[in-house]
Amino acid sequence: EVTLGHVFQSPRLLPWESCLANIEYVHGDNPNYTDELGKEYLDLVGLAGHYDKYPSQLSGGQRQRVGIARALSTDPGILLMDEPFSNLDEITAEELREELIKIWQQVGKTVFFVTHDITEAIELSDRILMLGNGGIFDDMSIDLERPRDVDSEEFLKVRQDAINRFHAIK
């Protein structure tokens, strides 16, 4: 049985609960959950020491990090991320993309990442499924070494190829 973790566009945190309590919430009556596990995942996403803070005390990027920590804390087989950086400013979004790559390399989870941003898709993905009208899709492998430089000639060629392929299925 494959379990799923979800990270949404907005973090959907309980505003009356601390960061740690927001993580504990998704574990329900799980007897194996401990505060140490919650702290481990908050540390993983760069929120060490923010355990007792409430969502209103955090920036948008920090709230999204709590959402990512919460999803990962359930040890899902697959992590679904629905445009998790679309509500953030570009600088914060870029920082979180870099963090996501580091986290992905550490935890080794399969991640399905939904985005309308082709540059973001190429920067983060090894494979892109492009959906068009009528459900037609194109399956494109991204064979670029990491870390990826979004301004490199090689990256820009792959980006243009993706754009051309998308327009072909539109």
Side-chain angles (χ1 to χ4, degrees), residues 3 7-8 15 17 55 66 72 81 87 115 124 151 153 160-161:
T3 58
V7 179
F8 302 99
E17 295 286 6
V66 174
L72 288 171
M81 301 186 83
N87 291 329
T115 183
L124 295 174
D151 296 318
E153 185 176 332
Q160 189 58 54
D161 181 38

Side-chain angles (χ1 to χ4, degrees), residues 11 13 18-20 22-23 38-55 57-70 92 95-96 99 103:
L13 301 177
S18 68
C19 293
L20 201 53
N22 266 281
I23 292 176
K39 289 177 181 179
E40 177 184 326
Y41 281 96
L42 286 168
D43 293 351
L44 178 68
V45 299
L47 290 176
H50 289 73
Y51 314 128
D52 295 327
K53 289 190 176 180
Y54 290 86
Q57 297 173 299
L58 303 173
S59 69
Q62 289 171 324
R63 286 191 295 270
Q64 198 61 299
R65 287 172 192 261
V66 174
I68 293 168
R70 182 181 54 200
T92 303
E95 288 173 359
L96 284 176
E99 283 296 313
I103 291 167

Side-chain angles (χ1 to χ4, degrees), residues 91-107:
I91 293 169
T92 303
E94 181 57 35
E95 288 173 359
L96 284 176
R97 283 191 287 272
E98 290 172 11
E99 283 296 313
L100 179 62
I101 291 167
K102 289 176 189 171
I103 291 167
W104 171 73
Q105 290 169 334
Q106 279 185 279
V107 299

